[in-house]
Amino acid sequence: MFEKMFGREWNFRVTLRTTPGECVGVVGNCHQLGNWNHQNGILLTKSIVNSSDGNEIWQGTAQLPVDQEVYFRYFTCIVLDHMVENDEGNKRDLIVRRWETNISPRLIKINSSQNDLIHIDLFGTYNGETRVDRGWLTKETVVQLKLYNDPIRMWKKSLHGKAFRVKVTPVEVDVSCSNTVRDGGIDESWDVQDVRNAVKSWPLIEVAAMNNGDCEFKLQQQFGQLMDRGSYLILQAQVTKPESVTFLVDFYAHNLSIGDSPEHIGFCYILQNNMTQSDGSATVPITSPKHLAIGQLKVDYLIVRPISGFECEMSVSFARHWKHSWRGLEVGHRGAGSSFKEALKSCSSIRENTIASLAHAAKHGADMIEFDVQLSKDMVPVIYHDFYVYTAMVKKLGKDEGSNGNTEGHVDMLHLPIKELTLAQLQKLKIYHVKENTRVPKLNDDDFDDHQPFPTLQRALEHLDPHVGFNIEIKWTMQLKDGSFELNNPFELNLYLDTILKPVLQYGGTRKIIFSCFHPDICTMLRMKQNKYPVMFLTQGITAKFDDYHDPRTHNIPMGVHFVSAIGILGLCVHSEDILRDPTQVALVQSRGLILFCWGEDNNDQATIRYLKNLGLNGIIYDKIDVHSAKETKESIFLVEARQEQKELIKIASSTSGS
């Protein structure tokens, strides 16, 4: 009777190893555990530290409801306390560092009790599976500083050719607001050496090197990270007030002698006004300890803010979930395939990236359909591949302009960027493709609504069979190796991605969805802004078919593996030419626990599709799935699995009622 009125007391105990400043919490599906909102979860207390392995035991109690099953997960976090309540009425913010992401949460059954048995959970491990992922952005902002292509130029001759260690320290420069948490705030009596030596759990500084040994983000060491020739370093700071933080960058001579401290060579500051956009680059002078200019640092930066107007919860994450049965998935390229190619026989007869094309691929057994998303001028996510559209302008000819006085009109083409046209304007235009003959259009589909270009992302999410998966490629301009850009994009990058993410998070439902992009920074941001859907890094690798991109992370599959491992996303989608030239790269990717898709013209062949499946690829993207698919039953694997799960549930229900 007592339990019915007041609930049952449950003692949570978990063992793990934390980093300095990290706390452990519990979140679950009842009010007492925050209803899957980590800010309202309960924090545990560290009770025991095992000196032999460094693991700790954290524990705490909660009054749980008796008449419902309680699902829960453990997580680790940094607790930021405030002097006054924030906008949500809290005096603290919890920054999630790690959390259990097993597809099913832990379970406390109805009316079960602990019976005073001492059971200690192992963080991340239960039901025979271990899965722990990094957190996502909630109240904090991430600032990444990327160093590559020999960014340190020393003018002093004695420093030429030397390797350096690089360390970044955030410094709070705006001390006018005393009622909020300050990132790296300093006492006015301190000098710069005090700032360097301060030991703090917040803000967090992590570093990853794009190589075999150090590609995962780790807390920065006392003397920073080695930056030698050919290195690619990402230094990452988590802060709550990026607009008031400047970054002190120190350079130390890399000393190979054991026991010797590295020599401090110089330093520079990266100021707020060096980072005026969400992404960009800056070049700043390096000063010696004696305040002499000795060199310069070129740094690319990325600022990732939490998604605005939407809060992710912790009931489930598919970010790195992939069943063993999901191998050799057939993915319809732009739906039923590209409809505009030089070789007409390989073209789809349905306009690419339309609702009709996507539905056609789903009808003919596509497990997933791949399509491209970008924003119209009025910030509506639309499905279209190219950055530009071609529309016709009819010009009337005078008698003196036409042969034999012929006044027949001819067509001039207008080349317009999609970013400059609203959704209404796009949907009213007569659209041609750059490879389409305007006198004899390839596709006469103006009278069919589902065949019209520029369907919205929301319409695709609501209209198409929920059992067909989506591979949503985010379009964003890339910098080429010669320094030029594919497009001068006017959108603020965080707002651009938030606008695309929100309809997916709102209307995605039970659909299997993957985000993908050629731009590594977009992949980073997609991973950090939400915790539900997986992200894959698109790469063209080594090829003569396309111009090389500027960022070395895009240059080959091994570099892509380092990057994907660093940011903790699902896997890579590589150019098939790269795999067909060197199939051993499949094992390279999968040995890191990563999922591998491929794309490219080579895939438009049944024998090649079969070969790639036998290599063990998880997904093959190709055109004209109605022609090239060898499936006997034209159904998505997700529909087949859903039907089987339904049969099993009916079987269980029947056996229960019979007993």
Side-chain angles (χ1 to χ4, degrees), residues 182-345:
R182 300 218 318 259
D183 292 317
I186 58 174
D187 189 296
E188 290 185 0
S189 64
W190 285 12
D191 62 19
V192 70
Q193 196 59 42
D194 295 319
V195 175
R196 291 188 180 106
N197 296 336
V199 178
K200 296 185 176 183
S201 60
W202 187 265
L204 285 169
I205 305 293
E206 297 174 298
V207 60
M210 299 297 102
N211 58 44
N212 286 324
D214 298 311
C215 61
E216 295 185 2
F217 278 99
K218 300 179 179 67
L219 292 176
Q220 182 176 238
Q221 299 178 5
Q222 180 183 1
F223 296 105
Q225 178 72 28
L226 174 64
M227 178 83 207
D228 53 16
R229 291 187 66 84
S231 293
Y232 193 121
L233 291 188
I234 305 177
L235 297 118
Q236 178 171 286
Q238 287 181 255
V239 297
T240 52
K241 294 177 61 184
E243 67 281 356
S244 63
V245 174
T246 192
F247 294 95
L248 168 65
V249 184
D250 285 299
F251 302 89
Y252 298 89
H254 182 57
N255 195 335
L256 298 178
S257 301
I258 299 176
D260 291 344
S261 296
E263 178 189 359
H264 186 231
I265 298 298
F267 64 94
C268 64
Y269 284 99
I270 302 172
L271 306 175
Q272 302 99 315
N273 58 11
N274 294 132
M275 299 182 289
T276 57
Q277 300 174 319
S278 293
D279 64 326
S281 61
T283 301
V284 293
I286 299 174
T287 305
S288 74
K290 295 183 179 181
H291 306 291
L292 298 175
I294 58 173
Q296 67 180 29
L297 173 71
K298 184 179 185 301
V299 58
D300 284 3
Y301 66 86
L302 175 69
I303 300 174
V304 192
R305 303 181 189 277
I307 186 171
S308 61
F310 189 94
E311 290 190 2
C312 295
E313 44 90 45
M314 300 179 73
S315 62
V316 68
S317 173
F318 304 105
R320 289 204 295 163
H321 172 67
W322 197 263
K323 289 185 178 180
H324 294 296
S325 59
W326 297 346
R327 299 177 70 85
L329 300 192
E330 300 188 20
V331 185
H333 181 227
R334 305 184 196 173
S338 175
S339 50
F340 302 102
K341 295 183 181 179
E342 298 292 346
L344 293 179
K345 67 177 183 179

Side-chain angles (χ1 to χ4, degrees), residues 384-634:
Y384 199 78
H385 177 268
D386 297 347
F387 288 121
Y388 294 87
V389 296
Y390 293 80
T391 188
M393 179 177 66
V394 176
K395 179 180 179 182
K396 294 181 179 180
L397 299 178
K399 289 185 178 182
D400 56 334
E401 297 179 79
S403 60
N404 300 320
N406 184 2
T407 59
E408 179 185 352
H410 76 276
V411 177
D412 286 341
M413 296 299 294
L414 289 177
H415 184 217
L416 303 174
I418 290 174
K419 65 177 185 176
E420 299 297 340
L421 298 168
T422 66
L423 176 63
Q425 291 170 333
L426 289 168
Q427 294 184 336
K428 288 177 182 177
L429 288 175
K430 170 65 178 176
I431 299 298
Y432 297 89
H433 192 271
V434 64
K435 296 176 181 176
E436 192 171 12
N437 184 331
T438 56
R439 288 187 179 275
V440 185
K442 179 180 181 297
L443 301 171
N444 293 300
D445 51 13
D446 290 349
D447 296 330
F448 303 98
D449 186 53
D450 283 354
H451 290 251
Q452 297 306 301
F454 305 108
T456 65
L457 174 57
Q458 180 177 336
R459 186 179 178 205
L461 288 162
E462 293 181 316
H463 185 85
L464 294 163
D465 181 352
H467 293 107
V468 64
F470 281 4
N471 181 343
I472 303 174
E473 180 185 339
I474 308 296
K475 302 292 290 184
W476 186 259
T477 180
M478 296 286 291
Q479 185 179 18
L480 302 177
K481 207 166 187 178
D482 63 7
S484 63
F485 285 85
E486 295 173 323
L487 178 77
N488 179 24
N489 206 310
F491 296 108
E492 195 279 322
L493 188 48
N494 280 278
L495 178 60
Y496 182 88
L497 290 180
D498 290 356
T499 306
I500 293 174
L501 281 170
K502 285 178 183 177
V504 180
L505 293 167
Q506 185 174 353
Y507 300 105
T510 59
R511 190 187 303 277
K512 304 298 186 292
I513 295 174
I514 293 173
F515 291 108
S516 63
C517 189
F518 282 100
H519 201 306
D521 287 345
I522 298 289
C523 292
T524 296
M525 298 176 78
L526 290 169
R527 166 64 183 86
M528 290 184 178
K529 283 178 172 289
Q530 52 88 39
N531 65 2
K532 186 173 183 179
Y533 293 116
V535 181
M536 299 190 78
F537 178 39
L538 272 164
T539 174
Q540 63 188 34
I542 301 172
T543 180
K545 295 180 180 179
F546 309 103
D547 293 331
D548 288 337
Y549 293 133
H550 172 73
D551 195 316
R553 292 174 291 181
T554 67
H555 288 176
N556 53 61
I557 291 177
M559 195 65 168
V561 168
H562 297 329
F563 167 65
V564 167
S565 299
I567 63 173
I569 61 176
L570 184 66
L572 294 93
C573 183
V574 304
H575 192 207
S576 299
E577 179 188 351
D578 231 352
I579 293 294
L580 296 174
R581 183 182 60 253
D582 182 7
T584 63
Q585 295 182 106
V586 175
L588 168 68
V589 174
Q590 295 181 341
S591 67
R592 300 297 294 267
L594 303 174
I595 300 305
L596 182 61
F597 278 36
C598 67
W599 64 276
E601 293 281 342
D602 293 313
N603 294 358
N604 298 329
D605 172 76
Q606 280 195 357
T608 303
I609 294 170
R610 185 165 55 251
Y611 174 71
L612 292 168
K613 286 186 177 183
N614 290 335
L615 283 178
L617 271 79
N618 300 98
I620 300 100
I621 302 172
Y622 63 92
D623 292 323
K624 300 182 73 171
I625 206 162
D626 55 331
V627 174
H628 299 304
S629 176
K631 279 186 176 183
E632 293 183 3
T633 304
K634 305 298 185 182

Side-chain angles (χ1 to χ4, degrees), residues 9-13 61 112-119:
E9 185 176 274
W10 197 269
N11 192 357
F12 295 96
R13 304 181 186 93
T61 59
S112 64
S113 61
Q114 292 178 303
N115 296 323
D116 297 325
L117 295 177
I118 298 177
H119 174 76

Side-chain angles (χ1 to χ4, degrees), residues 170-184:
V171 181
E172 169 67 70
V173 295
D174 178 11
V175 296
S176 60
C177 186
S178 61
N179 290 331
T180 58
V181 174
R182 300 218 318 259
D183 292 317

Side-chain angles (χ1 to χ4, degrees), residues 333-386:
H333 181 227
R334 305 184 196 173
S338 175
S339 50
F340 302 102
K341 295 183 181 179
E342 298 292 346
L344 293 179
K345 67 177 183 179
S346 63
C347 291
S348 169
S349 59
I350 304 174
R351 186 182 291 272
E352 66 187 45
N353 275 331
T354 59
I355 295 297
S357 181
L358 305 181
H360 186 79
K363 179 181 177 182
H364 287 84
D367 299 303
M368 306 188 80
I369 44 182
E370 181 270 350
F371 54 84
D372 311 276
V373 173
Q374 54 188 303
L375 294 187
S376 62
K377 183 179 180 179
D378 51 345
M379 305 293 287
V380 179
V382 295
I383 299 174
Y384 199 78
H385 177 268
D386 297 347

